[in-house]
Amino acid sequence: MSTLGISTLNEIIISNIEFKANTVLKLLREKIKTSLHQTGKEGEATDGMDMAFCVLNKSKKLLQYSGAYNPLFIVQGGEFKEYKADRMPIGIYYDEKDDFTNYEINITKGDTIYICTDGIYDQFGGPDGSKYKKANLKRLLADNSHRSMAEQRTILENEFESWKGSCEQIDDV
């Protein structure tokens, strides 16, 4: 799925000069459904993928974000914000909307932007073998956003490994 997604995404980006983040996700969804012969018939494969996609216009200091289940977190002026993803994947989905939401976010120097897979907060571990959860990830990011990127990486890696403990890693991170 990842290989198909990456090659299709590259094809979309190369063939479009100006585009919106949500348009890219919509085109990607259509092409994935075609490639996998997904029509919505009962019993067919419902493979799909989650994604956070951004378009950065440096000259306008504008970030576009659109998400298929994967959110965007940003720290601006010390304030931690979450931009929620649409609750539908890239691929066939029975309750899919026509379009993904397109957020336009004004950015300034010093803003910190985070996108990630659900692999961190869906990981089982801890004292009772439960999921890490998105609220814990948000708190960890917010509490450490003032640190350098290198420090944040180390903190995230250590937290993930500590939480996971002897549990098997269930997803990509």
Side-chain angles (χ1 to χ4, degrees), residues 21-33:
N22 67 330
T23 303
V24 171
L25 289 191
K26 182 178 181 176
L27 289 169
L28 183 59
R29 177 176 63 190
E30 291 169 4
K31 289 179 177 287
I32 294 293
K33 285 169 32 177

Side-chain angles (χ1 to χ4, degrees), residues 7-23:
S7 64
T8 306
L9 185 60
N10 284 332
E11 177 186 317
I12 291 167
I13 291 170
I14 288 169
S15 64
N16 289 281
I17 298 194
E18 248 183 85
F19 50 82
K20 292 185 173 185
N22 67 330
T23 303

Side-chain angles (χ1 to χ4, degrees), residues 8-151:
T8 306
L9 185 60
N10 284 332
E11 177 186 317
I12 291 167
I13 291 170
I14 288 169
S15 64
N16 289 281
I17 298 194
E18 248 183 85
F19 50 82
K20 292 185 173 185
N22 67 330
T23 303
V24 171
L25 289 191
K26 182 178 181 176
L27 289 169
L28 183 59
R29 177 176 63 190
E30 291 169 4
K31 289 179 177 287
I32 294 293
K33 285 169 32 177
T34 300
S35 295
L36 298 177
H37 307 291
Q38 295 177 328
T39 62
K41 290 180 184 171
E42 191 173 321
E44 74 182 8
T46 57
D47 292 330
M49 63 183 159
D50 303 345
M51 175 178 247
F53 186 78
C54 295
V55 176
L56 175 62
N57 184 323
K58 289 181 182 179
S59 63
K60 292 183 180 178
K61 296 182 181 175
L62 185 69
L63 178 74
Q64 290 182 47
Y65 154 74
S66 189
Y69 282 116
N70 288 348
L72 176 136
F73 306 117
I74 186 168
V75 178
Q76 293 183 304
E79 183 182 351
F80 186 89
K81 302 174 189 175
E82 176 182 0
Y83 289 86
K84 296 193 182 281
D86 289 302
R87 297 191 53 77
M88 57 184 178
I90 303 297
I92 196 78
Y93 187 66
Y94 299 105
D95 290 329
E96 74 183 35
K97 300 183 301 184
D98 287 338
D99 286 314
F100 289 88
T101 304
N102 194 65
Y103 294 95
E104 292 191 351
I105 306 161
N106 293 310
I107 57 170
T108 59
K109 186 175 178 140
D111 290 351
T112 306
I113 301 159
Y114 304 95
I115 56 175
C116 63
T117 71
D118 58 2
I120 294 175
Y121 48 84
D122 280 351
Q123 179 62 47
F124 292 100
D128 58 356
S130 61
K131 287 187 177 185
Y132 186 71
K133 297 185 182 169
K134 191 192 304 182
N136 290 324
L137 176 62
K138 288 166 59 172
R139 187 172 25 261
L140 185 67
L141 293 173
D143 289 350
N144 291 286
S145 64
H146 65 282
R147 300 181 187 279
S148 73
M149 285 292 133
E151 289 175 299

